Amino acid sequence: MRVHHLNAGTLRPLGGRLIDGEPGLLRRATMVCHCLLLETDAGLVLVETGIGAQAAHRPDEWLGRRFLRLTNPDLDADRSAVRQIARLGFDPNDVRHVVLTHLDLDHAGGLADFPQATVHVYAEELRAAQRPRSLREHKRYRAAHFAHGPKWASYEGLGEPWRGFDAVRELKGLPPEILLIPLAGHTRGHAGVAVDTGDGWLLHAGDAYFHPGELDPDRPHCPPALALFESLVQTEKHARLHNQQRLRELARHQGDQVRILSAHNAAEYRQYATGRAQARRPVRA
């Protein structure tokens, strides 16, 4: 299975010094929307979609003024996932499946660019978007992203064991090398997407963590401003912290077999995009 790493949404929130921990005056940070394009026997599979091409043409409706004000996103449609896939020489209509960690606008904003695709998501996340339990939950999902009527494939239950996690296997129409891993916390139906690349596993953990330091098995750490933001956008604190601890244990004991990445860390993305990403060295207990 061949894996392409795409950044389908550069975000530049204020507070860069506090977010990435580097010295300097207060400035804008750089965050990414890290997506994966998989070449499989079932056709092209896209993991995450970024903010979508339509954000360039109707940003207020697509992203909302608050998100625009806080994140100052790059709205160039040429950097959307659909345009990048075309530049790689593929027909975007050949993206048969989209697998999402969750339905926040910076992860599902590009769904409308692939209207023919089956969209795989954890069932609890789809319920959160369709029947929100609170005003806060209602505001985090953008109705415009789903107005085209996506072909949903949703999954209940916790599934079978996978490296210390419960995994949803046998995703409809997808090869068994792609798994959905429930990782609730950031949203109540948040999941990770595990991919067997043939050269070890890749786990896209979405927003289960925001900074690589959070997976340090011996000294977990995160820049204060980013840690505060992470707590402000969480839905279930206990579940988020519990799943971060489980990811740390995975990194500690199986870091030579499973590479873990997050959705928004720019340094991680650069390592994968340039082929310099290294497996985390396991630390034996």
Side-chain angles (χ1 to χ4, degrees), residues 97-121:
H97 301 270
V98 174
V99 187
L100 297 176
T101 63
H102 61 300
L103 294 171
D104 276 353
L105 59 87
D106 48 340
H107 298 257
L111 282 182
D113 298 329
F114 306 95
Q116 74 287 343
T118 298
V119 182
H120 302 262
V121 66

Side-chain angles (χ1 to χ4, degrees), residues 42-55:
L44 297 177
V45 178
L46 183 62
V47 178
E48 309 280 65
T49 70
I51 62 176
Q54 295 192 53

Side-chain angles (χ1 to χ4, degrees), residues 89-219:
F90 300 110
D91 183 345
N93 290 319
D94 289 337
V95 175
R96 309 285 176 80
H97 301 270
V98 174
V99 187
L100 297 176
T101 63
H102 61 300
L103 294 171
D104 276 353
L105 59 87
D106 48 340
H107 298 257
L111 282 182
D113 298 329
F114 306 95
Q116 74 287 343
T118 298
V119 182
H120 302 262
V121 66
Y122 201 52
E124 187 64 18
E125 183 68 8
L126 186 56
R127 280 193 291 270
Q130 295 178 337
R131 299 190 296 275
R133 294 174 178 172
S134 65
L135 179 61
R136 181 180 180 185
E137 196 167 60
H138 172 75
K139 287 184 175 180
R140 78 183 305 152
Y141 302 111
R142 306 291 296 181
H145 297 171
F146 318 125
H148 65 286
K151 295 186 287 185
W152 300 110
S154 62
Y155 302 89
E156 295 277 5
L158 294 177
E160 302 175 16
W162 177 83
R163 299 179 179 271
F165 293 81
D166 296 305
V168 176
R169 300 175 184 268
E170 298 184 7
L171 302 185
K172 301 165 188 174
L174 290 178
E177 292 82 12
I178 302 174
L179 310 176
L180 205 57
I181 313 293
L183 290 174
H186 178 70
T187 64
R188 58 183 164 109
H190 187 282
V193 181
V195 179
D196 185 352
T197 68
D199 186 29
W201 285 88
L202 191 62
L203 175 57
H204 194 309
D207 287 356
Y209 74 95
F210 280 18
H211 188 272
E214 294 179 279
L215 296 193
D216 187 319
D218 299 311
R219 191 180 62 86

Side-chain angles (χ1 to χ4, degrees), residues 65-83:
R65 292 182 180 179
R66 183 173 182 273
F67 183 86
L68 292 168
R69 183 174 65 254
L70 291 176
T71 67
N72 188 34
D74 181 351
L75 297 177
D76 188 344
D78 281 341
R79 296 189 175 95
S80 62
V82 66
R83 299 279 184 89

